[in-house]
């Protein structure tokens, strides 16, 4: 961090809502700056940017921060903290008053005030404002208005100084002042935990640090309440839980806060009485019940979703008509495909049921079922929408079915702030097919169901044995285990004429059996006991090209982020081997990461504002906005002049990233198994040589294998594979969709789904 002292010369831009300011400042002693290709020079006038209280030309300052390079405006000093002082000297005082900061004072008035009162001008405005009326053109009313405006600006500065003393940043201080006004310091000192609810960007840890600075007792009811809510939020963010048993929640909160569990329980019930959280007694599908605590949005989402699912089921539960079965038989003959009993059941149910779940592992025919359903529905003029949770999954669904598919967010017209499609602006189709349903979290599922039109039918397709969604919830598994909704489980493997070792080994792993490790056309295992040897062998496989193009055909997956075989280390080593630095090859450093032209990269967060374009020869959308978590592409260009990086994504979208946005990209020669969900790659290489038991699970190994379409190669220890197969200790997810569905089904008189009764009605 660097410190600057000087005077504000000019305000270039200011946002009064958040205090963000761009200003020119004259720095004491000047600043040495390096010039491109021309040595260095000293500058007295520099650009400073950051959050400041109301500031005017002539204001002295002390600022701390660091130098940054803007792609358009050049070198700037980014402010971390600033102390503003009263203007000193006649010229500075006049410029301050003439700047417009003090309402009612312009250049002529400022000049008159300074001429009359000299360096005493600011004290006169503050303490004896009636004397301003001595000047021609200033009435007593105007004098009081000038005084009030001056006091307001000074008050904000004083408030920000006090808030800074309590540990708040300038940006947080501006938010607090805009929310609370002059009372902000008092509110913070009374209950800093109130900031969690009122101010974006302030969480429990920040509020707790402020509370310590303010002298709030560790056993304060405010602190314990905030800690209980924080524990629920943490459970959702890190564990995927939409709720927690009360006993578990209070025990966790008490341990984290250092208080008695009875104190946490008392505050929990008080929070529930004020509707800050929801308490609900839930009955388990296995019997028994428990009291669970929810954050209100999660309870509202799961409770509403349960009701909407049952309404979909009740509105479309007719038995398959005889002509449906006849048309299906004719289509089988035409395609030369003979469906098995479960596949045929799934197709016929999809034509009539309001809700249907189709689940199964790789090669069991889920895509075949969708093709048959779409073909039969199209004959009847039924309009279908296909969607998936991620961009890659939607792309794969389009390729597999030959029909357009979109992400759920794009289908719901999410613009980064709100979903434009909902119950007031519903979607327009008759049947909705959602692929990779295991990846849908509770909040997104609720948003999706809200947007379905009256009379719509819903088909959820996915593999319930894969890793659960990144967001909180357990939607697919919960829907399946209720027994109330129709579920078709596909178990027979059809891929490659039942000879697929990938599919067979995935089934064996899922059943707790060791995979068959003998070499076959689509599965191979190579024993290596040392992580460094594993790494070298993986790189050798990529370099020799025998498995395919390492940039397009082969994807390395890792269970972990850290360690020799973790995502971070593997990416650096593979990048060095496949895309090393070379004369004329452009590269750019961002923190500790280097990106080069030719690098394989992945978007790691949803960004709905990024603009993209496609070649004009394509018939689909040529331009739009939105790049999503998991989208993969290649760096095609790096421009130091415009400070941009050009990325060509797999679906031919080109995006130009500002250097400032490069935190949204990561190298993707190796990605985590979690990040691979919803994707399919021709060839997968999986390095396995031990790791944390929490990550090295049967579920993760199964998911990794099922990402491969044509071939899997595991390199590492056979013992690691054995340990993962034996480790079926998945982290339990607490969610309420299943019990809420069962509870509402009982109220509506709905029993467990009866396939024989449904099919006998044909």
């Amino acid at each position: 961090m660097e410190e600057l002292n000087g005077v504000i010369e000019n305000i270039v831009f200011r946002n009064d809502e958040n205090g963000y300011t761009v200003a020119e400042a004259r720095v004491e002693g000047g600043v040495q700056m390096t010039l491109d290709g021309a040595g260095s020079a000293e500058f007295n006038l520099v650009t400073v940017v950051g959050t400041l209280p109301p500031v005017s030309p002539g204001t002295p300052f002390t600022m701390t921060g660091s130098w940054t390079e803007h792609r358009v405006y050049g070198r700037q000093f980014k402010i971390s903290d600033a102390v503003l002082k009263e203007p000193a000297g006649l010229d500075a005082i006049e410029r301050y008053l003439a700047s417009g900061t003090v309402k009612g004072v312009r250049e002529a008035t400022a000049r008159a005030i300074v001429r009359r009162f000299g360096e005493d001008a600011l004290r006169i405005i503050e303490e004896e404002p009636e004397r301003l009326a001595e000047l021609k053109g200033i009435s007593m009313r105007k004098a009081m208005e000038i005084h009030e405006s001056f006091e307001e600006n000074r008050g904000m500065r004083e408030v920000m100084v006090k808030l800074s003393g309590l540990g708040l940043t300038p940006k947080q201080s501006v938010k607090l002042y805009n929310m609370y006004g002059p009372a902000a310091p008092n509110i913070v000192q009374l209950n800093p935990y109130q900031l969690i609810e009122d101010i974006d960007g302030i969480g429990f840890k920040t509020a707790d640090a402020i509370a310590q600075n303010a002298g709030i007792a560790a056993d304060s009811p405010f602190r314990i309440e905030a800690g209980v809510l924080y524990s629920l939020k943490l459970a959702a963010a890190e564990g995927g839980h939409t709720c927690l048993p009360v006993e578990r929640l209070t025990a966790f909160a008490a341990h984290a806060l250092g208080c008695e569990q009875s104190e946490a329980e008392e505050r929990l019930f008080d929070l529930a009485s004020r509707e800050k959280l929801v308490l609900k007694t839930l009955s388990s599908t296995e019997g028994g019940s428990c009291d669970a605590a929810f954050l209100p949005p999660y309870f509202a989402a799961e409770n509403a979703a349960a009701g909407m699912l049952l309404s979909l089921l009740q509105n479309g539960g007719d038995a398959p008509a005889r002509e449906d079965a006849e048309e299906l038989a004719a289509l089988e003959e035409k395609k030369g495909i003979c469906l098995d009993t479960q596949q045929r059941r799934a197709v016929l149910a999809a034509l009539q049921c309001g809700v249907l779940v189709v689940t199964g592992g790789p090669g069991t025919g889920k895509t075949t079922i969708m093709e048959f359903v779409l073909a039969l529905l199209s004959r009847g003029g039924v309009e279908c929408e296909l969607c998936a949770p991620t961009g890659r999954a939607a792309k794969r669904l389009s390729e597999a079915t030959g029909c357009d598919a979109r992400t759920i967010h794009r289908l719901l017209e999410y613009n980064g702030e709100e979903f434009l499609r909902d119950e007031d602006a519903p979607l327009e189709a008759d049947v909705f097919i959602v692929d990779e349903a295991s990846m849908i979290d509770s909040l997104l599922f609720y948003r999706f169901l809200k947007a379905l039109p009256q009379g719509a039918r819903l088909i959820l397709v996915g593999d319930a044995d894969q890793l659960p969604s990144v967001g909180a919830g357990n939607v697919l598994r919960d829907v399946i285990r209720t027994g109330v909704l129709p579920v078709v489980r596909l178990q027979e493997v059809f891929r490659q004429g039942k000879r697929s070792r990938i599919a067979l080994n995935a089934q064996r792993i899922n059943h707790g059996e060791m995979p068959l490790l003998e070499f076959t056309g689509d599965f191979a295992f190579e024993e290596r006991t040392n992580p460094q040897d594993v790494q070298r062998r993986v790189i050798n496989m990529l370099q020799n090209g025998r498995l395919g193009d390492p940039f397009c055909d082969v994807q390395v997956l890792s269970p972990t982020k850290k360690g020799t075989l973790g995502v971070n280390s593997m990416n650096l080593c593979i990048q060095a081997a496949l895309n090393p630095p070379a004369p004329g090859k452009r590269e750019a450093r961002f923190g500790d990461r280097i990106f080069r032209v030719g690098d394989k990269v992945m978007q790691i967060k949803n960004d709905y504002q990024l603009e993209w374009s496609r070649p004009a020869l394509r018939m689909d959308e040529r331009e739009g906005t939105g790049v999503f978590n998991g989208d993969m592409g290649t760096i095609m260009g790096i421009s130091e002049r415009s400070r941009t990086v050009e990325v060509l994504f797999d679906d031919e979208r080109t995006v130009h990233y500002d250097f400032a946005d490069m935190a949204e990209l990561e190298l993707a020669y190796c990605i985590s198994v979690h990040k691979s969900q919803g994707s399919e790659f021709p060839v997968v290489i999986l390095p396995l040589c031990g790791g944390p038991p929490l990550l090295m699970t049967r579920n993760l190994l199964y998911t990794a294998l099922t990402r491969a379409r044509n071939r899997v190669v595991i390199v590492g220890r056979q013992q690691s594979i054995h340990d993962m197969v034996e480790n079926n200790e998945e982290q339990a997810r607490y969610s309420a969709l299943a019990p809420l569905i069962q509870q509402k089904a009982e109220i509506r008189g709905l029993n467990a789904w009866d396939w024989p009764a449904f099919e006998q009605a044909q």
Side-chain angles (χ1 to χ4, degrees):
M1 301 290 280
E2 191 171 336
E3 183 176 283
L4 298 183
N5 290 283
V7 178
I8 298 295
E9 287 286 325
N10 180 42
I11 304 300
V12 179
F13 170 81
R14 178 170 174 81
N15 183 331
D16 289 325
E17 291 186 6
N18 58 24
Y20 181 78
T21 304
V22 179
E24 291 179 331
R26 190 166 298 281
V27 180
E28 294 176 5
V31 175
Q32 286 290 129
M33 292 190 188
T34 302
L35 303 177
D36 291 341
S40 63
E42 183 174 284
F43 290 83
N44 294 103
L45 198 63
V46 300
T47 300
V48 296
V49 298
T51 303
L52 293 173
V55 63
S56 304
T59 303
F61 65 78
T62 297
M63 296 179 183
T64 56
S66 57
W67 292 99
T68 62
E69 190 77 25
H70 191 280
R71 67 186 181 90
V72 176
Y73 302 112
R75 198 148 172 82
Q76 300 177 334
F77 188 78
K78 188 175 182 180
I79 304 165
S80 296
D81 198 7
V83 176
L84 303 180
K85 307 166 188 176
E86 291 291 353
L90 297 180
D91 182 60
I93 293 172
E94 183 176 331
R95 288 167 60 214
Y96 167 72
L97 292 175
S99 67
T101 300
V102 180
K103 294 178 182 177
V105 179
R106 293 291 181 265
E107 290 184 12
T109 306
R111 190 179 306 113
I113 292 173
V114 172
R115 283 179 180 175
R116 180 63 177 269
F117 301 111
E119 294 191 0
D120 213 22
L122 299 183
R123 187 195 66 78
I124 294 294
I125 295 174
E126 180 186 8
E127 299 176 5
E128 303 177 65
E130 66 279 359
R131 291 188 59 187
L132 296 176
E134 298 172 8
L135 298 174
K136 184 179 179 180
I138 299 181
S139 65
M140 187 61 69
R141 179 179 177 181
K142 184 175 181 179
M144 292 302 106
E145 288 176 351
I146 293 171
H147 167 74
E148 289 171 5
S149 177
F150 180 82
E151 286 294 290
E152 182 179 349
N153 289 324
R154 170 173 281 190
M156 183 173 182
R157 287 194 198 180
E158 292 174 352
V159 166
M160 291 191 68
V161 169
K162 291 179 181 178
L163 293 175
S164 176
L166 292 172
L168 283 95
T169 67
K171 192 172 184 178
Q172 291 168 340
S173 298
V174 170
K175 288 182 178 180
L176 259 67
Y177 187 85
N178 288 339
M179 172 68 71
Y180 304 130
N186 293 334
I187 291 173
V188 171
Q189 289 184 308
L190 177 65
N191 179 16
Y193 300 98
Q194 182 66 33
L195 308 185
I196 299 171
E197 289 188 43
D198 294 346
I199 308 297
D200 288 339
I202 294 184
F204 176 79
K205 290 184 178 180
T206 300
D208 207 33
I210 295 169
Q212 290 182 28
N213 293 330
I216 303 294
D219 62 352
S220 162
F222 294 134
R223 181 173 187 265
I224 297 174
E225 284 188 1
V228 170
L229 291 174
Y230 172 69
S231 298
L232 268 180
K233 292 175 182 176
L234 196 66
E238 297 189 357
H241 308 296
T242 60
C243 60
L244 282 179
V246 167
E247 182 73 17
R248 185 182 179 93
L249 171 61
T250 54
F252 179 84
H255 176 75
L257 295 167
C259 69
E260 295 296 325
Q261 188 170 350
S262 59
E263 293 180 274
E265 187 171 332
E266 181 182 351
R267 301 318 329 156
L268 179 142
F269 286 113
D270 191 48
L271 286 165
S273 70
R274 298 185 345 251
E275 299 182 348
K276 298 293 185 180
L277 56 76
V278 176
L279 293 179
K280 180 78 173 176
T281 300
L282 299 175
S283 298
S284 167
T285 54
E286 292 79 25
S289 63
C290 75
D291 292 327
F294 300 75
L295 293 171
Y298 287 110
F299 177 76
E302 293 195 314
N303 190 50
M308 288 186 282
L309 279 172
L310 293 177
S311 295
L312 288 171
L313 178 68
Q314 289 179 294
N315 292 339
D318 298 332
R322 183 176 299 277
E323 54 267 26
D324 290 338
E326 293 172 352
E327 285 193 18
L328 174 56
L331 189 58
E332 285 183 86
E333 184 175 353
K334 179 180 178 181
K335 286 178 171 285
I337 298 175
C338 183
L339 301 179
D340 74 357
T341 302
Q342 289 298 95
Q343 290 177 314
R344 191 173 292 109
R345 167 183 281 180
V347 174
L348 292 174
L351 300 179
Q352 296 295 330
C353 289
V355 180
L356 175 68
V357 178
V358 180
T359 185
T364 55
K366 297 188 296 294
T367 301
T368 300
I369 287 171
M370 284 190 279
E371 291 173 348
F372 271 84
V373 169
L374 290 168
L376 291 171
L377 289 175
S378 65
R379 293 182 181 184
V382 177
E383 186 176 352
C384 297
E385 277 282 7
L386 279 68
C387 59
T390 67
R392 289 186 67 83
K395 179 188 175 187
R396 190 157 62 89
L397 181 59
S398 293
E399 293 170 346
T401 61
C403 299
D404 288 337
R406 293 181 276 178
T407 64
I408 296 175
H409 282 85
R410 191 168 290 283
L411 181 67
L412 299 180
E413 298 178 24
Y414 185 63
N415 60 13
E417 296 180 358
E418 60 180 340
F419 293 89
L420 301 183
R421 292 289 191 167
D422 55 20
E423 64 270 40
D424 296 322
L427 298 166
E428 299 169 1
D430 304 303
V431 177
F432 294 84
I433 299 177
V434 184
D435 197 18
E436 297 289 353
S438 63
M439 299 177 66
I440 305 175
D441 61 63
S442 290
L443 295 180
L444 181 59
F445 191 53
Y446 162 65
R447 289 287 188 179
F448 174 69
L449 292 178
K450 271 180 54 171
L452 297 186
Q454 288 289 328
R457 300 205 300 276
L458 173 63
I459 303 170
L460 298 174
V461 182
D463 186 347
D465 295 315
Q466 287 187 31
L467 294 170
S469 59
V470 175
N474 218 358
V475 170
L476 185 61
R477 293 186 185 183
D478 275 359
V479 169
I480 289 172
R481 68 190 181 97
T482 63
V484 176
L485 300 162
V487 177
V488 176
R489 287 183 175 84
L490 305 175
Q491 295 179 318
E492 187 171 356
V493 176
F494 295 92
R495 181 182 291 180
Q496 297 179 9
K498 304 186 183 181
R499 294 189 301 274
S500 169
R501 184 62 65 89
I502 296 173
L504 175 61
N505 278 339
Q507 276 195 335
R508 291 178 64 88
I509 290 168
N510 206 22
H511 294 152
E513 302 171 5
M514 273 291 288
L516 303 175
L517 300 181
E518 298 85 359
F519 175 81
T520 63
D522 67 350
F523 188 92
F525 168 72
E526 291 193 16
E527 179 81 32
R528 295 286 191 282
T529 58
N530 183 285
Q532 286 74 24
D533 289 343
V534 173
Q535 188 181 85
R536 283 191 288 269
R537 178 56 180 147
V538 169
I539 292 172
N540 177 258
M541 289 178 171
L542 295 171
Q543 286 179 312
N544 65 37
R546 293 172 187 168
L547 294 175
D549 185 338
F551 292 91
C552 303
D553 302 325
V554 186
Q555 182 61 54
V556 181
L557 302 182
S558 175
T560 64
K561 281 276 190 181
K562 299 179 181 179
T564 302
L565 301 180
V567 169
N568 298 333
S569 177
M570 291 296 293
N571 266 319
L572 292 178
C573 294
I574 298 172
Q575 181 194 43
L578 300 185
N579 192 30
K585 183 185 292 184
R586 291 188 175 274
E587 63 177 46
R589 177 181 288 275
F590 302 95
D592 59 352
R593 301 174 304 155
I594 295 176
F595 289 104
R596 298 189 184 99
V597 171
D599 273 337
K600 185 176 180 179
V601 292
M602 171 186 276
Q603 176 81 9
I604 60 171
K605 61 176 286 189
N606 291 336
D607 189 327
Y608 300 92
Q609 309 306 323
L610 275 176
E611 298 179 351
W612 53 260
S613 61
R614 280 197 181 103
L617 295 178
R618 289 182 61 101
M619 296 302 293
D620 50 10
E621 293 178 288
R622 296 179 183 177
E623 58 184 26
T625 59
V627 183
F628 303 101
N629 188 2
D631 287 353
M632 296 176 72
T634 304
I635 293 180
M636 305 303 292
I638 297 175
S639 171
E640 286 286 350
R641 183 174 182 180
S642 64
R643 301 188 67 76
T644 59
V645 174
E646 178 185 338
V647 177
L648 176 64
F649 284 96
D650 293 347
D651 57 1
E652 297 185 43
R653 289 176 302 156
T654 296
V655 177
H656 289 88
Y657 288 80
D658 289 339
F659 278 8
D661 296 327
M662 287 300 289
E664 296 184 6
L665 287 178
E666 284 185 354
L667 292 174
Y669 299 103
C670 176
I671 64 174
S672 69
V673 177
H674 283 83
K675 283 286 187 184
S676 73
Q677 286 180 268
S679 300
E680 188 177 71
F681 309 98
V683 179
V684 164
I685 300 178
L686 184 62
L688 291 180
C689 210
L694 190 64
L695 291 175
M696 307 298 283
T697 64
R698 179 191 301 176
N699 187 228
L700 186 138
L701 180 59
Y702 172 85
T703 301
L705 257 67
T706 58
R707 299 306 88 209
R709 182 165 62 246
N710 300 328
R711 192 172 187 184
V712 169
V713 179
I714 300 178
V715 184
R717 299 177 188 156
Q718 184 171 331
Q719 184 62 44
S720 295
I721 300 174
H722 177 271
D723 292 344
M724 293 181 78
V725 172
E726 290 295 311
N727 183 8
N728 198 30
E729 297 298 320
E730 292 181 53
Q731 184 179 358
R733 275 202 176 191
Y734 293 101
S735 58
L737 184 58
L740 288 169
I741 289 174
Q742 290 176 319
Q743 183 184 73
K744 293 179 185 296
E746 186 176 342
I747 293 171
R748 299 188 189 197
L750 296 173
N751 299 315
W753 183 260
D754 188 344
W755 278 112
F758 178 75
E759 292 169 338
Q760 284 172 9
Q762 294 183 54

